[in-house]
Amino acid sequence: YQRRVRGSFFFLILIPSKVRASQPLKLISGIMFKDSSLFFPRLSLLATPTSAQPSTNPTKPKKKHPGKAIIAGGISGGIEICITYPTEYVKTQLQLAARHSSTGVPPRYSGIADCVKKTVKERGILGLYRGLSPLLYMSIPKAAVRFAAFEQLKNLMQNDQGTLSRPRTLLAGLGAGTAEAILAVTPMETIKVKFIHDQTIRDVPHYRGFFHGVYCILKEEGFFGVYKGLFPTILKQGSNQMIRFFVYGEIGKLMKRGQQRDLSTPEILLAGGVAGAASVFGNTPIDVVKTRMQGLDAHKYTSSWHCVKETWKQEGAMAFYKGTIPRLGRVCIDVAIVFALYEHIGRLLDRFWKTD
């Protein structure tokens, strides 16, 4: 029978008469270490109750080191923005060139092709890269914060098998997006939009460079001048990463078909592209409001909700989907590249940086 004494289990069993003299020591050791497998095999089933814990400890789930996530995310973010910035420039221009029904002023650009054509004609091919510097300076911490936050939340919420349930994946993505919105995206996006808008409405830009622009913004509007539109940015980034990490993870599971393997590069690109497209259709209206709240005409709106009402009143519902096509192209490429770079850089770090 089984008796509990001071938290330890002791088993009283009948010892066969043909036990050798060396067996009592082995038996006592087995009792001390609570391992019935050290007894005779025939007696182990009788001695071990069905509710007892197994003798072998389960393998701990593999966790991603936050340092690896920061490095891999930062490098991938810096490379990605250099590739995809022209589409971001066109998207922002189309969103800022809104038609004001009260004044009857037509938009500066009639579409994507017209925006590209006029920009190249007036400023050359490098004109599509105007305003890149603030994004380039901030893309590294942006991606680093995003992936580090997601991996840390995943480490905290994953089960014993090292996986996340669907609700927890959504929650981890939401937390990652919120962290990057507060720590990196809001000041970065505010500076970027003001730079692009400044170069659009003036023949001679007021900001002579990145650091001069930041200095002028801080001097004229204070520290919180770079945190305008924080709430819609949190909504945008939170929903963005919630959708992206969830869709990417689900598509990855379908591609693996229950196998324990890494995704190939084409699979990562496909999963990332689909995840990016899903996030675009899910939150473009939020992106439009955020962009207008961070532009040079942000003073016309008293709040994000006021911006929504005025945009709806003057331009109609379709105004909330301006810039969708260029944003769709940029985001699909963006997310695909970032996930591919992040996965491969992470695997490389795992080979040379042992943290388990």
Side-chain angles (χ1 to χ4, degrees), residues 16 19 137 171 173 253 312 321 333:
V19 175
Y137 295 148
L171 183 60
K253 292 177 184 178
W312 182 285
Y321 282 91
I333 299 172

Side-chain angles (χ1 to χ4, degrees), residues 55-338:
S55 59
T56 57
N57 293 327
T59 304
K60 291 183 179 180
K62 186 177 181 180
K63 296 183 178 182
K64 188 79 171 184
H65 192 279
K68 293 180 180 179
I70 291 173
I71 295 174
I75 295 174
S76 60
I79 296 174
E80 170 274 325
I81 195 61
C82 293
I83 298 173
T84 63
Y85 182 77
T87 57
E88 173 69 13
Y89 176 88
V90 173
K91 181 219 60 165
T92 304
Q93 289 281 26
L94 292 177
Q95 289 181 349
L96 291 175
R99 183 186 181 91
H100 301 287
S101 58
S102 59
T103 60
V105 178
R108 178 178 174 83
Y109 306 111
S110 60
I112 300 172
D114 184 55
C115 178
V116 174
K117 181 180 178 180
K118 288 182 178 178
T119 301
V120 173
K121 182 179 179 179
E122 295 172 2
R123 303 179 185 275
I125 192 67
L126 293 180
L128 295 173
Y129 282 90
R130 296 181 72 88
L132 170 65
S133 55
L135 253 70
L136 185 60
Y137 295 148
M138 296 296 291
S139 286
I140 293 177
K142 170 186 172 182
V145 168
R146 177 199 312 154
F147 283 104
F150 180 79
E151 295 294 351
Q152 189 64 24
L153 290 171
K154 180 180 177 181
N155 290 343
L156 293 173
M157 295 190 293
Q158 66 185 4
N159 58 23
D160 293 338
Q161 288 73 43
T163 60
L164 287 177
S165 63
R166 289 188 176 95
R168 291 188 176 187
T169 300
L170 291 169
L171 183 60
L174 178 63
T178 301
E180 72 170 346
I182 296 173
L183 299 177
V185 177
T186 300
M188 178 192 72
E189 289 287 309
T190 302
I191 294 170
K192 180 206 70 175
V193 172
K194 288 183 183 295
F195 265 66
I196 294 177
H197 206 175
D198 175 61
Q199 294 160 358
T200 301
I201 65 175
R202 297 185 177 98
D203 294 332
V204 179
H206 175 60
Y207 305 137
R208 296 192 297 269
F210 174 74
F211 295 105
H212 178 255
V214 172
Y215 171 78
C216 290
I217 293 170
L218 293 176
K219 181 179 179 181
E220 296 168 3
E221 305 181 36
F223 175 76
F224 291 102
V226 296
Y227 270 92
K228 288 186 176 180
L230 175 61
F231 180 67
T233 303
I234 290 177
L235 290 179
K236 175 197 170 185
Q237 295 305 123
S239 60
N240 255 346
Q241 305 312 326
M242 179 176 66
I243 294 171
R244 290 175 187 175
F245 279 110
F246 176 79
V247 173
Y248 179 79
E250 291 299 308
I251 293 178
K253 292 177 184 178
L254 292 175
M255 290 178 173
K256 291 180 180 179
R257 298 179 182 179
Q259 302 174 5
Q260 294 296 325
R261 65 177 180 86
D262 293 329
L263 293 176
S264 64
T265 300
E267 289 175 332
I268 297 173
L269 292 173
L270 178 59
V274 174
S279 67
V280 168
F281 289 110
N283 70 357
T284 290
I286 298 174
D287 184 56
V288 171
V289 174
K290 175 199 70 67
T291 299
R292 296 191 177 192
M293 287 297 296
Q294 292 173 332
L296 296 180
D297 292 334
H299 62 275
K300 297 191 301 184
Y301 309 114
T302 59
S303 64
S304 299
W305 179 242
H306 181 245
C307 178
V308 171
K309 292 191 296 183
E310 288 298 310
T311 302
W312 182 285
K313 179 180 178 181
Q314 296 183 12
E315 304 170 52
M318 292 307 298
F320 292 102
Y321 282 91
K322 286 186 175 182
T324 299
I325 300 302
R327 185 178 180 229
L328 181 64
R330 181 191 70 83
V331 170
C332 289
I333 299 172
D334 171 359
V335 178
I337 292 174
V338 168

Side-chain angles (χ1 to χ4, degrees), residues 7-45:
S8 300
F9 289 106
F10 291 86
F11 300 96
L12 299 181
I13 61 175
L14 295 175
I15 307 298
S17 59
K18 296 183 179 180
V19 175
R20 296 178 301 175
S22 61
Q23 287 294 74
L25 180 60
K26 184 177 181 181
L27 178 63
I28 294 172
S29 300
I31 294 174
M32 291 177 64
F33 289 102
K34 296 180 284 187
D35 188 356
S36 61
S37 65
L38 295 179
F39 299 147
F40 295 106
R42 292 181 182 179
L43 296 177
S44 61
L45 294 176

